[in-house]
Coordinates of all heavy atoms in Angstrom, one line a residue:
T165 N -2.7 4.3 13.7 CA -1.6 5.1 14.2 C -0.9 5.9 13.1 O 0.0 6.7 13.4 CB -0.5 4.2 14.8 OG1 0.1 3.4 13.8 CG2 -1.2 3.3 15.9
V166 N -1.3 5.8 11.8 CA -0.6 6.5 10.7 C -1.5 7.6 10.3 O -2.6 7.5 9.8 CB -0.4 5.5 9.5 CG1 0.2 6.3 8.4 CG2 0.5 4.3 10.0
K167 N -1.0 8.8 10.5 CA -1.7 10.1 10.1 C -1.2 10.6 8.8 O 0.0 10.9 8.7 CB -1.6 11.1 11.2 CG -2.0 10.6 12.6 CD -3.4 10.1 12.6 CE -3.8 9.6 14.0 NZ -5.2 9.0 14.0
I168 N -2.0 10.7 7.8 CA -1.6 11.2 6.5 C -2.2 12.6 6.3 O -3.1 13.1 7.0 CB -2.1 10.2 5.4 CG1 -3.6 10.2 5.3 CG2 -1.5 8.9 5.6 CD1 -4.1 9.3 4.1
L169 N -1.6 13.3 5.2 CA -2.1 14.6 4.9 C -3.4 14.7 4.2 O -4.1 15.6 4.3 CB -1.0 15.4 4.1 CG 0.4 15.5 4.8 CD1 1.4 16.1 3.8 CD2 0.3 16.3 6.1
S170 N -3.6 13.7 3.3 CA -4.7 13.7 2.4 C -6.1 13.4 3.2 O -6.1 12.5 4.0 CB -4.5 12.7 1.3 OG -3.3 12.9 0.7
Q171 N -7.0 14.2 2.8 CA -8.4 14.1 3.5 C -9.2 13.0 2.8 O -10.1 12.4 3.5 CB -9.1 15.4 3.4 CG -8.4 16.6 4.1 CD -8.3 16.4 5.6 OE1 -9.2 16.0 6.2 NE2 -7.1 16.7 6.1
N172 N -9.0 12.7 1.6 CA -9.9 11.8 0.9 C -9.3 10.4 0.6 O -9.9 9.6 -0.1 CB -10.2 12.4 -0.5 CG -11.0 13.7 -0.3 OD1 -11.8 13.9 0.5 ND2 -10.6 14.7 -1.2
A173 N -8.2 10.1 1.3 CA -7.6 8.8 1.2 C -7.7 8.0 2.5 O -7.9 8.7 3.6 CB -6.1 8.9 0.8
T174 N -7.6 6.7 2.4 CA -7.8 5.9 3.6 C -6.5 5.1 3.8 O -5.8 4.6 2.9 CB -9.0 4.9 3.4 OG1 -10.1 5.7 3.1 CG2 -9.2 4.1 4.7
V175 N -6.2 4.8 5.1 CA -5.0 4.0 5.5 C -5.5 2.6 5.8 O -6.4 2.4 6.6 CB -4.3 4.6 6.7 CG1 -3.0 3.8 7.0 CG2 -3.8 6.1 6.4
Y176 N -4.8 1.6 5.1 CA -5.1 0.2 5.4 C -3.9 -0.5 5.8 O -2.8 -0.1 5.5 CB -5.7 -0.4 4.1 CG -6.9 0.2 3.5 CD1 -6.8 1.2 2.5 CD2 -8.2 -0.2 3.9 CE1 -8.0 1.7 1.9 CE2 -9.3 0.4 3.4 CZ -9.2 1.3 2.4 OH -10.4 1.9 1.9
H177 N -4.1 -1.7 6.4 CA -3.0 -2.6 6.7 C -2.6 -3.2 5.3 O -3.4 -3.5 4.5 CB -3.3 -3.6 7.7 CG -2.1 -4.4 8.2 ND1 -1.6 -5.5 7.6 CD2 -1.3 -4.1 9.3 CE1 -0.5 -5.9 8.3 NE2 -0.3 -5.1 9.3
I178 N -1.3 -3.5 5.2 CA -0.8 -4.0 3.9 C -1.4 -5.4 3.6 O -1.6 -5.8 2.4 CB 0.7 -4.1 3.9 CG1 1.2 -4.3 2.5 CG2 1.2 -5.2 4.9 CD1 2.7 -4.1 2.3
D179 N -1.8 -6.1 4.6 CA -2.5 -7.4 4.4 C -3.8 -7.3 3.7 O -4.3 -8.3 3.1 CB -2.7 -8.2 5.7 CG -1.4 -8.6 6.4 OD1 -0.3 -8.6 5.7 OD2 -1.4 -9.0 7.6
D180 N -4.4 -6.1 3.7 CA -5.7 -5.9 3.0 C -5.6 -5.3 1.6 O -6.6 -4.9 1.0 CB -6.5 -4.9 3.9 CG -6.8 -5.5 5.3 OD1 -7.0 -6.7 5.4 OD2 -6.9 -4.7 6.2
I181 N -4.4 -5.4 1.0 CA -4.2 -4.7 -0.2 C -5.0 -5.3 -1.4 O -5.5 -4.6 -2.3 CB -2.6 -4.7 -0.6 CG1 -2.3 -3.7 -1.7 CG2 -2.2 -6.1 -1.0 CD1 -0.8 -3.4 -1.8
Q182 N -5.2 -6.6 -1.3 CA -6.0 -7.2 -2.5 C -7.4 -6.8 -2.5 O -8.1 -7.0 -3.5 CB -5.8 -8.7 -2.4 CG -4.4 -9.3 -2.7 CD -4.4 -10.8 -2.8 OE1 -5.3 -11.4 -3.3 NE2 -3.3 -11.3 -2.2
N183 N -7.9 -6.2 -1.4 CA -9.3 -5.8 -1.3 C -9.5 -4.5 -2.2 O -10.6 -4.1 -2.5 CB -9.7 -5.4 0.1 CG -9.8 -6.6 1.0 OD1 -9.9 -7.7 0.5 ND2 -9.7 -6.4 2.3
M184 N -8.3 -3.9 -2.7 CA -8.4 -2.7 -3.5 C -8.2 -3.0 -5.0 O -8.1 -2.1 -5.8 CB -7.4 -1.7 -3.0 CG -7.6 -1.2 -1.6 SD -9.1 -0.4 -1.4 CE -8.8 1.1 -2.3
I185 N -8.3 -4.3 -5.4 CA -8.2 -4.6 -6.8 C -9.4 -4.0 -7.5 O -10.5 -4.1 -7.1 CB -8.2 -6.2 -7.0 CG1 -6.9 -6.8 -6.4 CG2 -8.3 -6.5 -8.5 CD1 -6.8 -8.3 -6.5
G186 N -9.1 -3.3 -8.6 CA -10.1 -2.6 -9.4 C -10.4 -1.2 -8.9 O -11.1 -0.4 -9.5
K187 N -9.8 -0.8 -7.7 CA -10.0 0.5 -7.1 C -8.8 1.4 -7.2 O -8.9 2.6 -6.9 CB -10.5 0.4 -5.7 CG -11.8 -0.4 -5.5 CD -12.1 -0.6 -4.1 CE -13.4 -1.5 -3.9 NZ -13.7 -1.7 -2.5
V188 N -7.6 0.8 -7.5 CA -6.4 1.5 -7.6 C -5.8 1.2 -9.0 O -5.7 0.0 -9.4 CB -5.4 1.1 -6.5 CG1 -4.0 1.6 -6.8 CG2 -5.9 1.6 -5.2
D189 N -5.3 2.2 -9.7 CA -4.7 2.0 -11.1 C -3.3 1.6 -11.0 O -2.8 0.7 -11.7 CB -4.9 3.2 -11.9 CG -6.3 3.6 -12.2 OD1 -7.1 2.6 -12.6 OD2 -6.7 4.7 -12.0
V190 N -2.5 2.3 -10.1 CA -1.1 2.0 -9.9 C -0.7 2.1 -8.5 O -1.1 3.1 -7.8 CB -0.2 3.1 -10.7 CG1 1.3 2.8 -10.6 CG2 -0.7 3.2 -12.2
M191 N 0.0 1.1 -8.0 CA 0.6 1.1 -6.7 C 2.0 1.6 -6.7 O 2.8 1.1 -7.5 CB 0.6 -0.3 -6.1 CG -0.7 -0.8 -5.7 SD -1.4 0.0 -4.2 CE -2.9 -1.0 -4.0
I192 N 2.4 2.6 -5.9 CA 3.7 3.1 -5.8 C 4.3 2.6 -4.6 O 3.8 2.8 -3.5 CB 3.8 4.7 -5.8 CG1 3.2 5.2 -7.1 CG2 5.2 5.2 -5.6 CD1 3.2 6.8 -7.2
L193 N 5.4 1.8 -4.7 CA 6.0 1.0 -3.6 C 7.1 1.8 -3.0 O 8.1 2.1 -3.7 CB 6.5 -0.4 -4.1 CG 5.4 -1.2 -4.9 CD1 6.0 -2.6 -5.2 CD2 4.1 -1.2 -4.2
C194 N 7.1 2.1 -1.8 CA 8.0 3.0 -1.1 C 8.8 2.3 0.0 O 9.3 3.0 0.9 CB 7.2 4.2 -0.5 SG 6.3 5.2 -1.7
G195 N 9.0 1.0 -0.1 CA 9.9 0.3 0.8 C 11.3 0.4 0.4 O 11.7 1.0 -0.6
G196 N 12.2 -0.3 1.2 CA 13.6 -0.2 1.0 C 14.0 -1.3 0.0 O 13.4 -2.4 -0.1
S197 N 15.1 -1.0 -0.7 CA 15.7 -2.0 -1.7 C 16.3 -3.2 -1.1 O 16.4 -4.3 -1.7 CB 16.7 -1.3 -2.6 OG 16.1 -0.2 -3.3
A198 N 16.8 -3.1 0.2 CA 17.5 -4.2 0.7 C 16.6 -5.4 1.1 O 16.9 -6.5 0.7 CB 18.3 -3.7 2.0
T199 N 15.5 -5.1 1.8 CA 14.7 -6.2 2.3 C 13.2 -6.1 1.8 O 12.5 -7.1 1.8 CB 14.7 -6.2 3.8 OG1 14.3 -4.9 4.3 CG2 16.1 -6.5 4.3
D200 N 12.7 -4.9 1.5 CA 11.3 -4.8 1.1 C 11.0 -5.1 -0.3 O 10.2 -6.0 -0.7 CB 10.8 -3.4 1.5 CG 10.8 -3.1 3.0 OD1 10.6 -4.0 3.8 OD2 11.0 -1.9 3.3
L201 N 11.5 -4.3 -1.2 CA 11.1 -4.4 -2.6 C 11.4 -5.7 -3.3 O 10.6 -6.1 -4.2 CB 11.8 -3.2 -3.4 CG 11.4 -1.8 -2.9 CD1 12.1 -0.7 -3.7 CD2 9.9 -1.6 -3.0
P202 N 12.5 -6.4 -3.0 CA 12.7 -7.7 -3.7 C 11.5 -8.7 -3.5 O 11.3 -9.5 -4.4 CB 14.0 -8.3 -3.1 CG 14.7 -7.0 -2.6 CD 13.6 -6.1 -2.2
H203 N 10.8 -8.5 -2.4 CA 9.6 -9.4 -2.2 C 8.3 -8.7 -2.5 O 7.4 -9.3 -3.1 CB 9.6 -9.8 -0.7 CG 10.9 -10.4 -0.2 ND1 11.3 -11.7 -0.6 CD2 11.9 -9.9 0.6 CE1 12.5 -11.9 -0.1 NE2 12.9 -10.9 0.6
Q204 N 8.2 -7.4 -2.1 CA 6.9 -6.7 -2.3 C 6.6 -6.5 -3.8 O 5.4 -6.6 -4.2 CB 7.0 -5.4 -1.6 CG 6.9 -5.5 0.0 CD 6.8 -4.1 0.6 OE1 7.0 -3.1 0.0 NE2 6.6 -4.1 1.9
T205 N 7.6 -6.0 -4.6 CA 7.2 -5.7 -5.9 C 6.7 -6.8 -6.7 O 5.6 -6.7 -7.3 CB 8.4 -5.0 -6.6 OG1 8.9 -3.9 -5.8 CG2 8.0 -4.5 -8.0
P206 N 7.3 -8.0 -6.8 CA 6.7 -9.1 -7.5 C 5.4 -9.6 -6.9 O 4.5 -9.9 -7.6 CB 7.8 -10.2 -7.5 CG 8.8 -9.8 -6.5 CD 8.7 -8.3 -6.3
A207 N 5.3 -9.6 -5.6 CA 4.1 -10.0 -4.9 C 2.9 -9.1 -5.3 O 1.8 -9.6 -5.6 CB 4.3 -10.0 -3.4

């Protein structure tokens, strides 16, 4: 259901993020500071 602009990137569910170890150099986290980032960034 998520349509992105980039032609060469793929959309994944966040639960599958560890499958990309070694394939991504840096993750940019775009969640909110109130409830998302305090948990997502350290995880």
Side-chain angles (χ1 to χ4, degrees):
T165 68
V166 177
K167 306 303 178 185
I168 63 175
L169 300 174
S170 306
Q171 300 296 317
N172 299 320
T174 305
V175 181
Y176 299 97
H177 194 273
I178 195 169
D179 290 346
D180 298 325
I181 196 167
Q182 291 186 41
N183 294 338
M184 297 300 288
I185 292 175
K187 301 176 183 177
V188 169
D189 297 311
V190 183
M191 290 287 184
I192 298 181
L193 310 186
C194 299
S197 296
T199 57
D200 295 328
L201 298 179
H203 308 288
Q204 286 183 352
T205 306

